[in-house]
Amino acid sequence: MGYWLDHFKKSTTVIIPKPNKSPYDSPKSFRPIVLLNTVGKLIEKVIGEKLQSHVVSNNFIYPSQLGRLKFKSTTDAGVTLTHIICSSWIKNLNTSTLAFDITQFFPSLNHQFLILILKKAGFDSCIAKFFSNYLIGRKINYFWNSFTLPSFDVNVRVGQGSALSPILLALYLLLFLHIIENLLKNLKILISILSFVNNGLFIFQSKLFQISNTHLFSSYNIMTNLLSKFGLIVKHSKTEVFHFTRLQGFFNPPSLDLSPIGGHILCPKDLWKYLGFTFDRKLSFRQHINFYSNKVISTVKCMKILGNSNCSLNPH
């Protein structure tokens, strides 16, 4: 007990260029694929299932954590958000959302802090001892075309491709979510929070968008300061604001200026893509349905072509 084989700690990362991203002169134009030992991944899957069963049965997961956990998915996040919006309309209120993304989330997690959370969650000391060994002594090497980088030590990250990542990340964010919820309540900022892995969402309801923007600004400021204490950073370029309303006619909501706290000036768009959904301000889902309808039609046509081929597709 309390030991993870060194052989399972070795990983290979293959760098693959993203299609249609030319010129390839930026790291964002490439996608790293982490290859792990298959037997080790199977054992991690079993351990992850046991950990999730323990924390879920003891109600240790924050209620609004919906990412990569059992019985919680992007569909649950979309349904939850839709329910909140429809509930606000019954009260004649508009709903404003502020989506943010935590950059370099997996490599930035503090191992010692994670071990403390595991102990606080009520896990046996042998479990904490196991993860103390599991998280250190890792080696990684990179492959890019014919170029191979020699293996080097990596002791400052949680493996993104690991089956244990979802539950470990959920536990890591647990304390952050409880702290920010209490801070906002003490300031009488009635904001709802949804969390999906390294994506977060602030939700505020009001009749006036100016009031919503004020509360979203305050929440964003508190959140960025708190995350910095956890060793995490928000990627301001991915922060988005969107307003839901049933108002008729011309709609021109005010922009949200986050520049005083290091962000950008956010101008609400007509459509908002979030976790696979395409939202419009009236929740008609027309664009969402059109997108997936066309995707289904394209898939069926491709299947028809494959079905008519005896051996393979005709290149002509």
Side-chain angles (χ1 to χ4, degrees), residues 2 47-48 50-52 54-56 58 60-61 109-136 158 164-175:
I47 297 173
K50 294 293 184 180
L51 290 178
Q52 285 204 36
H54 175 81
V55 296
V56 170
N58 288 279
F60 202 77
I61 294 296
L109 303 189
N110 185 294
H111 291 174
Q112 293 181 347
F113 184 65
L114 186 56
I115 299 302
L116 290 175
I117 292 177
L118 289 171
K119 293 179 180 178
K120 189 68 175 178
F123 288 107
D124 191 86
S125 58
C126 63
I127 301 295
K129 183 180 179 182
F130 166 78
F131 280 103
S132 296
N133 181 268
Y134 171 85
L135 294 168
I136 63 173
V158 172
L164 287 172
S165 295
I167 185 61
L168 293 179
L169 299 180
L171 290 171
Y172 193 88
L173 279 180
L174 179 66
L175 183 58

Side-chain angles (χ1 to χ4, degrees), residues 56-264:
V56 170
S57 61
N58 288 279
N59 296 319
F60 202 77
I61 294 296
Y62 192 78
S64 64
Q65 284 182 289
L66 302 173
R68 297 178 65 185
L69 297 171
K70 293 181 66 175
F71 312 116
K72 294 185 178 183
S73 63
T74 53
T75 302
D76 297 303
V79 171
T80 301
L81 178 57
T82 302
H83 173 74
I84 293 174
I85 296 167
C86 292
S87 298
S88 71
W89 286 348
I90 294 175
K91 304 173 186 176
N92 293 320
L93 298 174
N94 301 311
T95 299
S96 300
T97 60
L98 184 66
F100 58 89
D101 180 89
I102 303 174
T103 185
Q104 294 295 310
F105 188 50
F106 289 88
S108 302
L109 303 189
N110 185 294
H111 291 174
Q112 293 181 347
F113 184 65
L114 186 56
I115 299 302
L116 290 175
I117 292 177
L118 289 171
K119 293 179 180 178
K120 189 68 175 178
F123 288 107
D124 191 86
S125 58
C126 63
I127 301 295
K129 183 180 179 182
F130 166 78
F131 280 103
S132 296
N133 181 268
Y134 171 85
L135 294 168
I136 63 173
R138 294 186 167 271
K139 293 183 178 294
I140 188 172
N141 65 319
Y142 285 88
F143 281 84
W144 182 22
N145 294 332
S146 59
F147 175 77
T148 303
L149 190 68
S151 298
F152 58 93
D153 295 332
V154 180
N155 289 321
V156 291
R157 61 180 296 174
V158 172
Q160 187 168 355
S162 169
L164 287 172
S165 295
I167 185 61
L168 293 179
L169 299 180
L171 290 171
Y172 193 88
L173 279 180
L174 179 66
L175 183 58
F176 163 78
L177 292 170
H178 278 291
I179 291 176
I180 194 170
E181 180 185 48
N182 291 330
L183 286 174
L184 295 175
K185 281 184 178 180
N186 292 336
L187 294 173
K188 297 183 179 180
I189 301 177
L190 303 179
I191 275 190
S192 301
I193 306 173
L194 291 182
S195 173
F196 196 91
V197 192
N198 61 322
N199 295 298
L201 188 68
F202 287 131
I203 308 170
F204 187 78
Q205 300 169 340
S206 175
K207 290 185 177 181
L208 300 176
F209 294 116
Q210 291 82 356
I211 295 177
S212 297
N213 281 355
T214 300
H215 286 80
L216 290 175
F217 177 91
S218 300
S219 302
Y220 191 80
N221 186 28
I222 294 171
M223 179 267 299
T224 53
N225 290 330
L226 182 59
L227 279 177
S228 65
K229 297 179 180 179
F230 278 73
L232 303 172
I233 303 174
V234 173
K235 191 170 186 177
H236 296 298
S237 60
K238 287 191 175 182
T239 303
E240 297 178 289
V241 65
F242 195 81
H243 302 291
F244 295 91
T245 180
R246 291 189 295 181
L247 293 175
Q248 302 296 326
F250 181 70
F251 182 64
N252 185 27
S255 59
L256 175 59
D257 187 4
L258 297 177
S259 58
I261 52 177
H264 302 279

Side-chain angles (χ1 to χ4, degrees), residues 257-278:
D257 187 4
L258 297 177
S259 58
I261 52 177
H264 302 279
I265 299 177
L266 306 179
C267 298
K269 300 178 182 178
D270 295 329
L271 296 175
W272 176 43
K273 294 184 178 180
Y274 186 67
L275 298 180
F277 293 89
T278 302

